[in-house]
Amino acid sequence: MSAPERIPPRGLTAVDPLDLLTSGELTVRGQIREASNAVLFCSVAYEGQEADCVYKPVAGERPLWDFPDGTLAQREVAAYEVSEATGWGLVPPTVLRDGPFGPGMVQLWMEGDPSASLLALVDDEEAGEGWKAVGLAQVDEDRTALLVHADDVRLRRLAVLDAVINNGDRKGGHLLPAPDGKLYAIDHGVTFNVDDKLRTLLWGWAGEPLPQEALDVLARLDASLAPGAPLATRLAELITPAEVAAVRARVGALRTSGRHPEPSGQWPAIPWPPV
């Protein structure tokens, strides 16, 4: 959901976020009804500290034709693990644990800055300085506009992460620019498929050379994904062996091409709804 719709946070805590999320007492405060699966707004308390979080119980996942049932929570945690391995910290702390409605994903709540502008529609043929073009969008019956996203290093890092985890649902509402200047990305249940499922609003760099920073990160990921290496071992606890192998192959392909991926043409390139 978009940042203005999110419930105000209680604030972050001095306790390690993973300890807080894993060991804290989880209390359901409400439900986020706009979500396609069960998403519960909660507080979590541990050792005198408290924070807001999101709890997505496996029991509330809707079946998908192209993903095994009951695996979306694990994929959310796997996305966090890969994000941490990049060093970019794009995904909020996320764990698997038991909760009031059974096992599920619990993620630290991050409040977005509603004044930050990362996406726009422009009545022009060019994106303009500081923006990257995604494509034409039908605004109403008689009007189309150019959909653009910011030419922002944080978004570019996220575009690389999405290519690695094969994100099939990168919508605008999943982007949370924080008041401190960091960018967080949420909703990673539809990831890590062995087939090419990349659907995103961040196509502005499609086909362009990857920056050196991304190439360096991909080299580190490649080493971390070797059989028996820490990231490969952790991912094997969360997704299938074939999916781990596919992550390794995507990292290798990105390093070989040295370029941001382009739409395959075999799968819708833009998620719906886009926001």
Side-chain angles (χ1 to χ4, degrees):
M1 63 196 302
S2 60
E5 297 172 320
R6 296 176 70 85
I7 303 170
R10 296 174 189 275
L12 300 183
T13 168
V15 174
D16 182 276
L18 295 181
D19 290 340
L20 176 67
L21 295 174
T22 301
S23 302
E25 181 181 356
L26 200 61
T27 302
V28 176
R29 303 293 183 184
Q31 182 175 2
I32 301 171
R33 298 189 179 278
E34 296 87 350
S36 56
N37 297 299
V39 181
L40 303 176
F41 175 74
C42 300
S43 63
V44 61
Y46 180 64
E47 293 189 347
Q49 300 292 327
E50 187 174 1
D52 292 339
C53 62
V54 168
Y55 164 46
K56 297 183 182 180
V58 172
E61 295 178 6
R62 292 194 309 173
L64 298 172
W65 68 269
D66 50 349
F67 285 84
D69 292 349
T71 66
L72 303 190
Q74 293 156 260
R75 296 170 193 278
E76 295 247 27
V77 178
Y80 166 72
E81 296 289 351
V82 176
S83 169
E84 287 299 286
T86 66
W88 289 331
L90 293 165
V91 179
T94 311
V95 302
L96 276 177
R97 60 162 288 176
D98 201 16
F101 298 98
M105 178 280 277
V106 178
Q107 184 175 81
L108 195 65
W109 185 276
M110 294 296 180
E111 188 70 13
D113 179 1
S115 67
S117 180
L118 297 176
L119 297 166
L121 288 168
V122 297
D123 293 313
D124 207 334
E125 295 181 358
E126 301 292 335
E129 187 176 354
W131 297 89
K132 303 291 286 187
V134 179
L136 290 173
Q138 192 74 36
V139 178
D140 54 42
E141 239 179 67
D142 304 313
R143 178 187 167 222
T144 59
L146 186 65
L147 176 64
V148 300
H149 64 68
D151 188 3
D152 185 308
V153 64
R154 301 169 300 170
L155 289 182
R156 193 164 192 175
R157 291 169 177 169
L158 184 58
V160 174
L161 176 65
D162 283 342
V164 169
I165 67 176
N166 197 15
N167 192 350
D169 195 33
R170 174 59 70 214
K171 296 175 180 174
H174 299 167
L175 307 174
L176 299 178
D180 64 1
K182 290 198 68 175
L183 175 71
Y184 295 101
I186 59 171
D187 288 351
H188 296 102
V190 188
T191 49
F192 295 102
N193 201 296
V194 295
D195 298 323
D196 182 8
K197 298 282 188 181
L198 186 59
R199 291 194 306 178
T200 177
L201 291 180
L202 304 181
W203 288 116
W205 297 282
E208 292 187 15
L210 290 164
Q212 187 60 48
E213 177 197 38
L215 293 171
D216 293 342
V217 165
L218 290 168
R220 293 200 301 272
L221 281 181
D222 208 1
S224 296
L225 287 164
L231 182 58
T233 300
R234 178 59 176 140
L235 291 182
E237 300 170 354
L238 299 165
I239 57 178
T240 69
E243 289 166 341
V244 175
V247 178
R248 191 177 297 120
R250 285 192 296 272
V251 169
L254 287 167
R255 295 187 69 196
T256 298
S257 72
R259 294 181 177 273
H260 286 273
E262 299 181 82
S264 68
Q266 300 177 341
W267 179 256
I270 305 292
W272 186 260
V275 177

